[in-house]
Every structure is written in structure tokens, then in C-alpha cells.
Amino acid sequence: MLTPSLTLIGKPDCHLCDEAREVVARVVRGLAAEGVAVAVEERSILDEPDLAVRWHDDVPVVLIGTALHDRWRIDADRLRADLLAAADA
């Protein structure tokens, strides 16, 4: 089983980013309880100009590996399923 990587791209003072962070944390905790590790990285468009150019209008953004998983609102069930699929790849 592989360890999938998840990147959450957002910015401070963003209510959708806060909601996405909570969904990601809940899903990752649940998977960890099942023995599936996920490497999580959080990045801010305010700290990285290249991210701001690419994702400014789309935050929050969740990438699994380098692929776009979702933006704006994150569905917990779909995130869980996609992380499990990435772990089994």
C-alpha cells in the first residue's frame, strides 16, 4: 500500500479554506485509524506567488499527488475514496 500525498492550497482568513482544512483533517484521521497513512502538506497562495497566479480564484484547492482533486468545497466521502484509490495504486 502506498502513502498518498495530499496538498491543501489556501490562504489565511478564508472560511472555505477553514472548512476544507477540517474535512481533510477528519478524513485523514479516519484513514489513519484504518492503517492508511496520508502525507499532508498545506501551502498558502500568499506565501508562494506561483501558486497565487495558478490558484487565486479557486482556493481552497486539494491535490492528490499532483492531480486536482477538488476546489472550493471538499466532499469528505469522495476525498476518502480517492485517497484510498491512490493508496492502492
Side-chain angles (χ1 to χ4, degrees), residues 13-89:
D13 300 320
C14 164
H15 75 280
L16 289 178
C17 299
D18 294 340
E19 290 175 14
R21 190 176 298 108
E22 291 173 11
V23 170
V24 166
R26 187 172 65 247
V27 169
V28 168
R29 271 194 315 271
L31 289 173
E34 297 174 34
V36 178
V38 178
V40 178
E41 177 183 19
E42 189 168 343
R43 298 168 69 184
S44 172
I45 63 169
L46 299 184
D47 296 333
E48 300 181 53
D50 58 320
L51 291 179
V53 168
R54 174 67 179 97
W55 299 111
H56 183 267
D57 293 331
D58 294 324
V59 295
V61 173
V62 171
L63 307 175
I64 296 178
T66 58
L68 175 64
H69 166 75
D70 223 339
R71 59 183 168 209
W72 302 311
R73 298 211 183 264
I74 311 306
D75 179 89
D77 292 334
R78 194 164 74 81
L79 178 60
R80 182 182 186 287
D82 287 353
L83 286 170
L84 284 172
D88 288 337

